[in-house]
Every structure is written in C-alpha cells, then in structure tokens.
Amino acid sequence: MLQRKSMKRNNNSDAHTNRHASLKTTSYPGKRIAKATFFFVSCLFISAGLLDLLGCFDLTTFTGLKQVTTIKKQPITTHHKFPDQCDVVRNQTQQQERQQLPMSEDGTENDKTGSSHSRPSTCPSYFRWIHEDLRPWRETGITRGMLEKARNNKAHFRVVILDGKVYVKKYRKSIDTRDVFTLWGILQLLRWYPGRLPDLELMFDANDRPTVRSSDYKGQQHPAPPPIFRYCSDDASLDIVFPDWSFWGWAEVNIKPWAKSMVAIQEGNKMTPWKDRVAYAYWRGNPNVAPTRRDLLTCNVSDQQDWNTRLYINDWVRESREGFKNSNLENQCTHRYKIYIEGWAWSVSEKYIMACDSMTLYVRPKYYDFFIRGMMPLQHYWPIRDNSKCTSLKHAVHWGNTHLDQARKIGEEGSRYIREEVNMEHVYDYMFHLMNEYAKLQKFKPEIPWGATEITPDSMGCPATGRWRDFMEESMVMSPSEASPCEMPLPYSPVEFREVLERKANVTRQVELWEDQYFSNLRNGNKP
C-alpha cells in the first residue's frame, strides 16, 4: 500500500513536470525527456529505500543482491522489573504462549524439536531417582482417595494444574514463605515449558521431615501410601522429593535466587586461589536447630585441642538487624575445606557450600534432597562420620593438606556438579519430568476444589514488597525454553541399583579405614 502511494506521488510529480514542460518551448525535447526520466527514477529509488528501512520492501531483491538471514538463539533471561501496571506481566505470559515459532530460512516454522536442540541431552543421573520415588504407586496408580489421605497427612497446600493454569488450595501456613516461593517456582516452570505440563493434582507438605513411613505400608494387606511432595526424604520414608523454595530465593535470610547466587559464588571463587586458602575446615550456621550441629561445635579449635576446624555461629536475628553483611555466600569461599551438616532435616546450605570449589566434608546425612543421590564420595565430596565428627574432620583436613591436588580435584568436581547438573535448567527439567511421571499414575480427572484460587505472576508478584518482590523479579522466567527437556533416563535395574548403593558404601568404608589407620599410627607414635 505504501508502495502504491509512493508510485502515485511519483506519477503526479511526473504529470506536473510534463504540464510544466508543455508551457515552455519545445526546442530541446530530448533534454526535457532525459530530465523527467532522471527525476522519476530518483523518486523511485528514494521511495524504495524508505520502504526498505521500514521493513515493507526488500531493496536487496530489487537490486539483485541476495539477503542472508541469521537466526540467533535468544538468551535465557530470568530478570524482570514488574511494571507499574502489573497486568502487563499477565499479558506477556499470554503473548508468549500465543507467539509464533521462529521461521527457518526455508520459510517453515521451527518447533522445539526442529531447533539446534532437536536431540536433547540425557538428564543427569539423579533423575533416575524419580522412578524410585514413584515406585510405590506403579502397580496401584494414584486414586483420589490416596490424594485425600495425603491431605489428612497435614499437607500445607494442594496444587492443581488444569489447561495450563495453576490453582492452589491452602490448608495451613508454612514456615516463613516456603509455600509462596515453591508456588512461584511452579509458575516459572509453566512459563519455561508453556503448554507442556499435563493436568494433575498434588499435595505438598512444606515442613522439613518426611511423614510417610514405609513401614506403615508394607505387605499386600496394607493400602498404598498417600502421595505427598516435600523437600527431602529418607530411607525409611516414601515422601516424593521436590526442589526446595530457595532456588527462587529465601527472602527471610537474604539468600538470592539460585541462578544469581551461583554467579556471585563463582566470582567469590576467584578471590582466593585454592592453595592460598585457609588450610582448615570451615562452617558457619545455626547450631540450635539440631543436636548434631551442637555436637559439631565441640570440634571447634580450643586451647586444649585443634581438630583442624574453624566453626562460627551465625546469629540470623543479628544478621537481619545489621543487613546480612556477614552472611554473604560469595564471601565464604576462603577455606580449602567446607563442612556440610544437616539441620532439623536436610539443609538448603548444601548447594551453596558445594559451589565454593572447596573440598566438601559431608557429615553422613540421614536425609536426602533431589540431587544429592547422584553424587559419589571421593568424587564430589569427602564423607565424614556422624558419630565421631571431630576425629573424622581432623583426618580429612590432614589428608587434604598432604594430597593437595587430589583434594582440590574433589572440591572442583563437586562444584562442577552443582554448577552444571543442578543449574536452573536442570531444576526445571527435574520438576517437569517428576510432574509428568506423577501425572501418568493418576487414575482420576483433576478438578479445581472449592475455595481454590488461580495464581499467576501478576497475583503473586504484584502485591509482594521488599526482598520478596525483588527475588520474584530476579527469578521470573521471561521467555520459554528454546530447547526440549533433557531425555529422561531409564529406571535402575535391580542389579544397577544395588551396584550404586554398594559403590557408595565401599568408598565410604575405604575412607573410614584410612582414618582408623591414621589415628592408629598416631597412638603408636608412628608417622601418619
């Protein structure tokens, strides 16, 4: 249309020129024709150039040149400032879900499977545990009666995903805002993989310790266990493990969303070269949450004994009052060795400790989260006895200081695992596969319960204030993934499962034998 208007203007100009020329003498007709032709062609090129600039006309086609189109992969962005008009967030979400897929050079639409990620990588090994966590329902499936029993097991909230929307029915208040950021994470999953989550209903318990004891559901005469999601479980329980809220931020203690924290810790890693770090084991935390942590404090350096440790109590009330200036995670990569120890159950501190390139001294845990089960002792961490922490820590530091290259390698491999296999892309993939596999077991049609409310980035993010709002902004997914989820690995065979457990146990026993030999040599006056 613009081109037709331009041509019309050119024709009018040409006609005006001809009328003007007719009033003059006709002594030089060839010259007048040349001038008119030059004027017409000039106008045509100027119009074409303007249209090309506006994107309405391809000048390269007109000039006979071939235009080369480069399709660039859009970077993944997870930071967004909520606009003053918060409904823009909702509009963006709807627009993303409706947006057309990028066009390839041959003019056809590219879907996820047709992109450069058409052959997704295999998921990390810890994804295989999804099959194990859902095994109790493989034969029976999950009925609505089982789900309601999970509610009676004191679930904090019910999540319903229906036609790509998320509905929540809350039953009781969680600790701090665990429930808020867990639900925020589920919303981000649906923005990461829009339209790809199945309809489902699940119950979530946001407390620490598991509640579904496997001993209560053994034998055919017992009913199937209630399916309940939570942040950790143990070998005696059947709770379904799900990524914890801190991946999207722990506002109460100023721990930023995982993607941002990981970048900051990587920068902190560069501050002190590994061999220049303090040659002791470091821990900072709250010892009052569990007896095992109070026991750890007996291993601190004193006038009578040095267990090769430097342990510090973190007063979170004081830290909050003083602006958390002493608890920045990126400033805690200063020691060669860092201690991980559980609190009331597993601790979210695990990933931050392991990201420091320091060799993690992992006090034998009772509980596990979703990713620790893919890690191996002496490859990703050094195992520490829980019933004799002080001697075990002393030996670990001595071994590391006499095997510097090996200790550094264990620390760096543990950090690599956290950085590459527990990044946010894999966190979302884990959630995606877990929820898909769970949905396959449902034997009922999901429904929106009475009293449930739909949640959106708008409804959650816009009313938030302070750090809570900041962390939601920082962790908000702003564009769908260009890649498909990683390929879900097959379940362990009985032989493979036994081999994995035996390998971990054998390596741990080997470390304990080294430790026993070390102290035996000390008692006998021999050189360790």
Side-chain angles (χ1 to χ4, degrees), residues 6 9-10 13 37-49:
S6 178
R9 285 196 297 270
N10 291 337
S13 296
T37 303
F38 176 79
F39 183 78
F40 176 80
V41 172
S42 297
C43 290
L44 183 61
F45 268 92
I46 291 170
S47 300

Side-chain angles (χ1 to χ4, degrees), residues 114-133:
S115 69
S116 59
H117 296 78
S118 59
R119 302 178 70 180
S121 60
T122 302
C123 302
S125 62
Y126 64 84
F127 280 59
R128 301 181 81 175
W129 287 90
I130 290 175
H131 301 293
E132 300 304 319
D133 287 350

Side-chain angles (χ1 to χ4, degrees), residues 296-328:
L296 174 66
L297 287 187
T298 64
C299 305
N300 214 346
V301 61
S302 67
D303 295 337
Q304 293 76 35
Q305 183 63 264
D306 187 352
W307 297 107
N308 290 338
T309 62
R310 299 295 184 265
L311 314 176
Y312 304 90
I313 296 175
N314 207 48
D315 185 342
W316 285 111
V317 175
R318 181 178 178 181
E319 279 294 294
S320 177
R321 190 167 57 246
E322 297 180 356
F324 301 98
K325 62 182 180 180
N326 296 315
S327 56
N328 286 334

Side-chain angles (χ1 to χ4, degrees), residues 26 71 112 119 152 196 314 332 338 387 428 448 477:
T26 58
I71 300 175
K112 289 180 181 294
R119 302 178 70 180
N152 297 333
R196 302 192 64 176
N314 207 48
Q332 298 182 34
K338 294 192 71 177
N387 56 358
Y428 286 129
I448 303 172
V477 170

Side-chain angles (χ1 to χ4, degrees), residues 222-498:
H222 292 284
I228 191 160
F229 286 67
R230 69 179 335 105
Y231 308 122
C232 76
S233 191
D234 61 26
D235 292 338
S237 303
L238 301 175
D239 300 63
I240 303 169
V241 184
F242 194 83
D244 70 81
W245 75 95
S246 67
F247 282 97
W248 298 273
W250 190 358
E252 285 79 8
V253 294
N254 197 39
I255 293 180
K256 297 176 178 62
W258 175 230
K260 191 166 185 178
S261 292
M262 189 161 50
V263 171
I265 293 172
Q266 283 182 269
E267 291 301 311
N269 265 332
K270 300 174 184 177
M271 299 296 291
T272 309
W274 197 89
K275 289 187 178 180
D276 294 339
R277 296 185 182 187
V278 180
Y280 293 97
Y282 171 92
W283 180 81
R284 177 185 290 274
N286 180 6
N288 299 318
V289 294
T292 185
R293 288 194 175 183
R294 291 192 289 271
D295 183 44
L296 174 66
L297 287 187
T298 64
C299 305
N300 214 346
V301 61
S302 67
D303 295 337
Q304 293 76 35
Q305 183 63 264
D306 187 352
W307 297 107
N308 290 338
T309 62
R310 299 295 184 265
L311 314 176
Y312 304 90
I313 296 175
N314 207 48
D315 185 342
W316 285 111
V317 175
R318 181 178 178 181
E319 279 294 294
S320 177
R321 190 167 57 246
E322 297 180 356
F324 301 98
K325 62 182 180 180
N326 296 315
S327 56
N328 286 334
L329 299 170
E330 59 269 27
N331 297 333
Q332 298 182 34
C333 299
T334 55
H335 292 64
R336 292 179 184 173
Y337 316 97
K338 294 192 71 177
I339 300 168
Y340 168 78
I341 186 169
E342 294 178 331
W344 180 243
W346 114 109
S347 172
V348 299
S349 65
E350 180 182 46
K351 55 184 175 290
Y352 310 110
I353 289 171
M354 296 200 66
C356 254
D357 279 355
S358 305
M359 185 171 83
T360 300
L361 309 184
Y362 206 100
V363 179
R364 180 179 293 177
K366 177 180 179 183
Y367 304 96
Y368 53 78
D369 59 17
F370 74 101
F371 67 84
I372 183 59
R373 293 175 287 183
M375 296 168 57
M376 294 297 297
L378 290 193
Q379 180 182 352
H380 303 107
Y381 63 90
W382 183 278
I384 298 294
R385 285 172 161 151
D386 59 333
N387 56 358
S388 55
K389 300 178 183 68
C390 301
T391 53
S392 197
L393 289 166
K394 184 177 181 69
H395 168 252
V397 173
H398 171 82
W399 183 92
N401 287 337
T402 54
H403 300 80
L404 289 177
D405 290 338
Q406 291 169 267
R408 178 176 181 173
K409 183 178 179 181
I410 294 172
E412 291 178 346
E413 182 62 19
S415 290
R416 184 209 61 77
Y417 178 91
I418 293 296
R419 184 173 60 253
E420 296 179 10
E421 301 194 26
V422 195
N423 56 30
M424 284 308 299
E425 287 82 0
H426 280 133
V427 171
Y428 286 129
D429 281 0
Y430 189 93
M431 295 163 64
F432 176 86
H433 284 302
L434 173 59
M435 295 170 87
N436 268 279
E437 294 298 317
Y438 170 85
K440 292 175 185 176
L441 299 173
Q442 289 185 153
K443 290 185 172 297
F444 59 92
K445 184 178 180 180
E447 298 175 351
I448 303 172
W450 181 88
T453 58
E454 181 184 358
I455 59 170
T456 65
D458 253 351
S459 66
M460 295 192 71
C462 296
T465 59
R467 286 191 303 274
W468 289 260
R469 184 183 178 96
D470 292 341
F471 291 175
M472 286 182 178
E473 290 173 353
E474 292 169 6
S475 61
M476 183 169 173
V477 170
M478 291 308 300
S479 59
S481 174
E482 293 185 349
S484 294
C486 60
E487 269 185 13
M488 183 70 169
L490 295 173
Y492 286 112
S493 69
V495 173
E496 289 175 320
F497 189 71
R498 185 170 60 252

Side-chain angles (χ1 to χ4, degrees), residues 138-178:
R138 285 296 177 199
E139 294 184 5
T140 63
I142 295 172
T143 65
R144 181 163 292 284
M146 295 176 190
L147 194 73
E148 297 305 326
K149 189 173 182 180
R151 172 191 171 181
N152 297 333
N153 227 39
K154 297 184 178 179
H156 284 91
F157 55 89
R158 182 197 304 252
V159 173
V160 180
I161 298 178
L162 201 60
D163 298 327
K165 297 181 179 180
V166 183
Y167 304 86
V168 176
K169 170 78 172 178
K170 292 190 176 183
Y171 299 112
R172 59 192 181 115
K173 191 179 185 306
S174 73
I175 299 171
D176 295 333
T177 48
R178 293 182 177 189

Side-chain angles (χ1 to χ4, degrees), residues 14-189:
D14 195 41
H16 175 75
T17 302
N18 291 337
R19 285 195 302 271
H20 182 69
S22 66
L23 297 175
K24 290 182 180 247
T25 63
T26 58
S27 57
Y28 300 101
K31 189 174 182 179
R32 288 197 299 273
I33 293 171
K35 285 183 178 180
T37 303
F38 176 79
F39 183 78
F40 176 80
V41 172
S42 297
C43 290
L44 183 61
F45 268 92
I46 291 170
S47 300
L50 289 172
L51 290 172
D52 178 67
L53 183 64
L54 294 171
C56 302
F57 186 77
D58 188 357
L59 187 59
T60 59
T61 302
F62 185 80
T63 56
L65 298 176
K66 183 178 180 181
Q67 186 175 15
V68 178
T69 303
T70 302
I71 300 175
K72 293 184 179 180
K73 179 182 176 182
Q74 294 182 351
I76 297 172
T77 55
T78 57
H79 182 271
H80 175 68
K81 276 287 184 183
F82 288 116
D84 294 334
Q85 298 297 324
C86 267
D87 58 358
V88 173
V89 178
R90 184 186 299 112
N91 293 341
Q92 285 178 339
T93 303
Q94 293 171 349
Q95 183 178 355
Q96 287 170 2
E97 292 174 353
R98 295 193 304 264
Q99 68 183 353
Q100 289 186 349
L101 293 165
M103 303 296 289
S104 65
E105 290 188 359
D106 62 2
T108 59
E109 286 188 344
N110 283 331
D111 60 11
K112 289 180 181 294
T113 59
S115 69
S116 59
H117 296 78
S118 59
R119 302 178 70 180
S121 60
T122 302
C123 302
S125 62
Y126 64 84
F127 280 59
R128 301 181 81 175
W129 287 90
I130 290 175
H131 301 293
E132 300 304 319
D133 287 350
L134 297 177
R135 191 175 296 279
W137 299 276
R138 285 296 177 199
E139 294 184 5
T140 63
I142 295 172
T143 65
R144 181 163 292 284
M146 295 176 190
L147 194 73
E148 297 305 326
K149 189 173 182 180
R151 172 191 171 181
N152 297 333
N153 227 39
K154 297 184 178 179
H156 284 91
F157 55 89
R158 182 197 304 252
V159 173
V160 180
I161 298 178
L162 201 60
D163 298 327
K165 297 181 179 180
V166 183
Y167 304 86
V168 176
K169 170 78 172 178
K170 292 190 176 183
Y171 299 112
R172 59 192 181 115
K173 191 179 185 306
S174 73
I175 299 171
D176 295 333
T177 48
R178 293 182 177 189
D179 55 348
V180 172
F181 279 88
T182 299
L183 293 169
W184 179 256
I186 292 173
L187 281 179
Q188 303 319 302
L189 171 65

